[in-house]
């Protein structure tokens, strides 16, 4: 049985495959404005040295926001989000967010580095056992602060990123990509235990009244988890349970249950278990009904999930041989 929301989050993120790609690393000085928006991809910015401002325009009921970032901070955008970085604490006009100003120069090219900011910027993509269902529950962006006590373990990772950026004069070090992956996972874990999250998956895991239910479903996903049994485990009436769960999670209990079940099933399939065994373990008597649910939530057929695992193992074996 999982003991905490953080462990539950680790379990949920264990099937998440992340691939970071460094776009550029260098420094800006004087008047400049930078952004990774408009590429239809998730992206990140790491502040290696100096300070700057992150500006977000008003969107979908969210007020415009400007946040100061300093050395050691990082921001990860889960989706293609309108934003810009600049040295100015005042945000540009809404129609100027997409206008880039200034040019990035190599690290160390400026004789007065304190006058500017050094950045590592790039894109990332992540696939999950749960497909778009996971990314849809994540926040628009996550800011990882250098002084966040929950990110103490990430500081060494950031220092390694900074060291790799400093030594790569001609081309960015490929290690920065992998180190950024690690930093991103630290940021996600910190978000899972933060107090200023948006309603969603982590909210349910952290709520004392729902945490036992989440752990129980993970432990025995094939049990008869209807809304009555879930409400009873949480010591609530069915109506109160459904209302409070939906408010905390942003989706009804049945949809959340399906997410956890398919996560468990995907892990089994990736480890070579048959589709029929995976289906039965998570509560499906019909293999075809399970396949339909699995496809709807993960975007893959069960067989494709098993074959993907086989390809990964073959690639790993080929790498060891050569």
């Amino acid at each position: 049985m999982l003991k905490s929301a953080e462990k539950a989050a680790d379990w949920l993120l264990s099937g998440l495959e992340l691939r970071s790609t460094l776009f550029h690393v260098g420094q800006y000085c004087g008047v400049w404005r930078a952004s990774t928006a408009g590429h239809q991809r998730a992206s990140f910015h790491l502040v290696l040295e100096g300070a700057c401002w992150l500006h977000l325009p008003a969107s979908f009921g969210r007020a415009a926001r400007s946040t100061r970032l300093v050395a050691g901070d990082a921001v990860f955008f889960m989706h293609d989000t309108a934003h810009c970085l600049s040295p100015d604490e005042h945000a540009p006009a809404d129609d100027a967010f997409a206008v880039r100003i200034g040019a990035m120069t190599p690290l160390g090219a400026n004789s007065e580095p304190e006058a500017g900011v050094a950045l590592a910027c790039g894109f990332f993509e992540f696939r999950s056992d749960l497909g778009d269902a996971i990314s849809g529950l994540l926040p628009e962006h996550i800011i990882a602060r250098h002084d966040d006590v929950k990110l103490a373990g990430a500081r060494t990772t950031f220092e390694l990123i900074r060291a790799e950026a400093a030594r790569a004069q001609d081309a960015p070090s490929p290690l920065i990509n992998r180190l950024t992956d690690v930093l991103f996972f630290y940021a996600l874990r910190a978000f899972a235990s933060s107090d200023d999250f948006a309603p969603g998956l982590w909210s349910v895991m952290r709520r004392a009244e729902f945490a036992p239910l989440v752990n129980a479903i993970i432990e025995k996903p094939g049990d008869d988890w209807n809304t009555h049994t879930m409400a009873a485990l949480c010591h609530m009436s069915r109506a109160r349970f459904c209302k409070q769960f939906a408010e905390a999670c942003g989706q009804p209990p049945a949809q959340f249950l399906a997410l956890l079940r398919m996560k468990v099933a995907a892990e089994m399939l990736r480890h070579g278990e048959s589709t029929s065994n995976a289906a039965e373990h998570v509560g499906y008597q019909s293999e075809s009904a399970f396949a339909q649910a699995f496809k709807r939530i993960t975007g893959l057929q069960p067989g494709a999930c098993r074959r993907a695992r086989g390809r990964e193992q073959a690639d790993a074996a080929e790498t060891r041989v050569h």
Side-chain angles (χ1 to χ4, degrees), residues 191-264:
F191 171 74
S193 59
S194 68
D195 290 325
D196 56 349
F197 52 82
L201 190 60
W202 314 133
S203 174
V204 173
M205 289 180 167
R206 294 184 65 250
R207 292 274 288 269
E209 62 268 40
F210 297 133
L213 172 64
V214 174
N215 288 325
I217 293 173
I218 292 171
E219 186 74 12
K220 296 181 178 180
D223 282 8
D224 183 18
W225 293 111
N226 55 52
T227 51
H228 290 284
T229 57
M230 288 191 281
L233 192 147
C234 295
H235 307 290
M236 297 181 186
S237 67
R238 181 180 178 278
R240 179 186 170 205
F241 168 74
C242 291
K243 180 177 183 295
Q244 292 195 9
F245 192 98
E247 289 174 350
C249 187
Q251 58 182 238
Q255 190 172 339
F256 180 83
L257 170 64
L259 280 174
L260 295 189
R261 280 176 163 172
M262 293 309 128
K263 163 66 176 171
V264 172

Side-chain angles (χ1 to χ4, degrees), residues 91-252:
D94 288 347
D95 59 357
F97 266 82
V99 179
R100 276 69 166 178
I101 299 174
M104 177 175 275
T105 58
L107 293 177
N110 181 32
S111 59
E112 298 181 358
E114 67 276 6
V117 63
L119 299 173
C121 309
F123 303 100
F124 66 92
E125 58 183 355
F126 56 90
R127 294 184 300 154
S128 168
D129 294 333
L130 303 181
D132 293 338
I134 285 293
S135 61
L137 290 169
L138 292 173
E140 177 188 68
H141 68 283
I142 295 176
I143 296 178
R145 292 291 190 182
H146 72 286
D147 56 355
D148 188 338
V149 295
K150 296 185 293 294
L151 287 169
R155 291 171 193 157
T156 299
T157 302
F158 188 87
E159 289 304 320
L160 289 172
I161 292 174
R162 185 150 51 185
E164 286 296 314
R167 67 181 292 274
Q169 298 299 321
D170 298 326
S173 167
L175 288 179
I176 295 179
N177 295 336
R178 303 289 74 83
L179 291 169
T180 300
D181 294 350
V182 175
L183 191 64
F184 176 75
F185 277 108
Y186 271 111
L188 277 181
R189 181 190 287 174
F191 171 74
S193 59
S194 68
D195 290 325
D196 56 349
F197 52 82
L201 190 60
W202 314 133
S203 174
V204 173
M205 289 180 167
R206 294 184 65 250
R207 292 274 288 269
E209 62 268 40
F210 297 133
L213 172 64
V214 174
N215 288 325
I217 293 173
I218 292 171
E219 186 74 12
K220 296 181 178 180
D223 282 8
D224 183 18
W225 293 111
N226 55 52
T227 51
H228 290 284
T229 57
M230 288 191 281
L233 192 147
C234 295
H235 307 290
M236 297 181 186
S237 67
R238 181 180 178 278
R240 179 186 170 205
F241 168 74
C242 291
K243 180 177 183 295
Q244 292 195 9
F245 192 98
E247 289 174 350
C249 187
Q251 58 182 238

Side-chain angles (χ1 to χ4, degrees), residues 266-284:
E267 284 186 342
M268 296 177 66
L269 293 169
R270 288 202 329 266
H271 286 86
E273 197 65 65
S274 68
T275 300
S276 59
N277 285 348
E280 183 178 0
H281 184 71
V282 297
Y284 285 80

